[in-house]
Amino acid sequence: VYQNMAGCYIALNQLAEAVRWYEAALLIYQQNKNEKPASQGDIWHNLGSCYLTMGDMEYALFCNEQALSWRKIAFTNDNHPKVLVSLRGLALVYQRMGDEKRAAEYFDLVLELRRRSLKPGNRDLSNSITDASVAARQGGYLKRAEQLAREVIGIEQGAPVPDSLRIARVLGNYGTFLYETGQPDSALVLHRQALDFYPRTKESESGRANCYTNIGACYLLKNDLARA
């Protein structure tokens, strides 16, 4: 019941109240000496998400560490989805804290674990590869970032039923990487391709707008002010 109350407050965007109810739920487990590691792992994870959104990185880190500890007790398989979610949660906290090296380590660990259970080229790998690519770029590991970005593009374009929106986003991410590494001509090609892949729908308007912004930035870097 307490966890359900917390979920209601999250839906109302009242995170401080949600935290109060989650902590009350944890207290019940502790008082009754009833571990239920899977349930406690879920509560700690949710607390970590609340604190992350609230901008309290110290508590967000602590809660995500607790979530991972409890979930490792509950699920002996490191490839269990909830264990991977906790590892990714730690990566996101370190990313927000500006610790690109630790963030990249955790994103890489998630990717490594997912590769063990999925065949190469499996589309379910795309999100984990994208996370690792972005983290590598932020950490200055540019060659690895480019390698991972190319892998994602290959997976998405080779899918039996290509998802044009996902392909557009991947192309845009890679284009941004090339722009940031001083390759405006190559970045232009990818941002234009991304623009072509974005569906002409209301939901895609912000994505298309970002493409035009990125294309303009590339021309600006090339000192082509008229086109910019």
Side-chain angles (χ1 to χ4, degrees):
V1 174
Y2 283 15
Q3 292 180 65
N4 290 339
M5 287 293 295
C8 291
Y9 279 111
I10 287 177
L12 294 170
N13 201 29
Q14 297 182 30
L15 300 184
E17 279 298 307
V19 165
R20 187 170 70 85
W21 284 100
Y22 280 133
E23 290 178 342
L26 281 175
L27 185 60
I28 290 175
Y29 283 121
Q30 294 166 0
Q31 289 175 341
N32 295 337
K33 296 182 179 180
N34 186 355
E35 286 194 344
K36 287 192 175 180
S39 297
Q40 290 210 52
D42 290 346
I43 295 172
W44 281 111
H45 172 76
N46 292 333
L47 277 169
S49 297
C50 288
Y51 281 120
L52 180 64
T53 304
M54 294 164 66
D56 191 331
M57 297 300 106
E58 182 178 352
Y59 276 108
L61 181 61
F62 174 75
C63 291
N64 276 283
E65 288 174 340
Q66 290 294 313
L68 180 60
S69 296
W70 282 107
R71 285 175 167 175
K72 281 188 171 183
I73 295 172
F75 312 108
T76 56
N77 183 2
D78 284 345
N79 251 330
H80 191 280
K82 289 194 174 182
V83 174
L84 295 177
V85 166
S86 288
L87 289 169
R88 186 175 187 273
L90 284 167
L92 291 172
V93 173
Y94 281 119
Q95 196 172 53
R96 283 281 298 276
M97 293 172 69
D99 191 338
E100 290 87 0
K101 183 178 179 180
R102 293 299 300 277
E105 288 174 356
Y106 277 102
F107 281 131
D108 283 347
L109 178 56
V110 172
L111 178 56
E112 178 187 339
L113 290 170
R114 297 212 74 194
R115 287 193 194 277
R116 292 180 187 176
S117 59
L118 298 173
K119 294 181 179 179
N122 190 306
R123 196 172 193 175
D124 289 339
L125 282 171
S126 285
N127 289 337
S128 295
I129 298 173
T130 299
D131 283 342
S133 177
V134 171
R137 188 179 78 210
Q138 292 175 340
Y141 307 108
L142 303 185
K143 186 174 181 180
R144 174 165 173 74
E146 180 176 4
Q147 176 189 5
L148 291 170
R150 287 181 178 276
E151 184 178 357
V152 175
I153 291 173
I155 290 174
E156 292 299 334
Q157 291 183 330
V161 182
D163 185 331
S164 59
L165 184 58
R166 292 187 69 172
I167 293 174
R169 288 171 176 166
V170 170
L171 289 168
N173 287 337
Y174 187 27
T176 299
F177 163 78
L178 293 174
Y179 169 82
E180 290 176 349
T181 54
Q183 304 176 64
D185 291 322
S186 299
L188 266 174
V189 172
L190 289 172
H191 286 309
R192 284 171 176 161
Q193 289 177 354
L195 187 61
D196 291 337
F197 272 104
Y198 268 111
R200 294 181 180 275
T201 61
K202 187 173 181 62
E203 292 76 14
S204 299
E205 285 180 355
S206 62
R208 291 176 60 80
N210 285 337
C211 283
Y212 282 114
T213 299
N214 292 330
I215 289 171
C218 289
Y219 279 122
L220 193 59
L221 190 61
K222 287 162 58 68
N223 204 30
D224 190 337
L225 302 184
R227 290 185 175 181

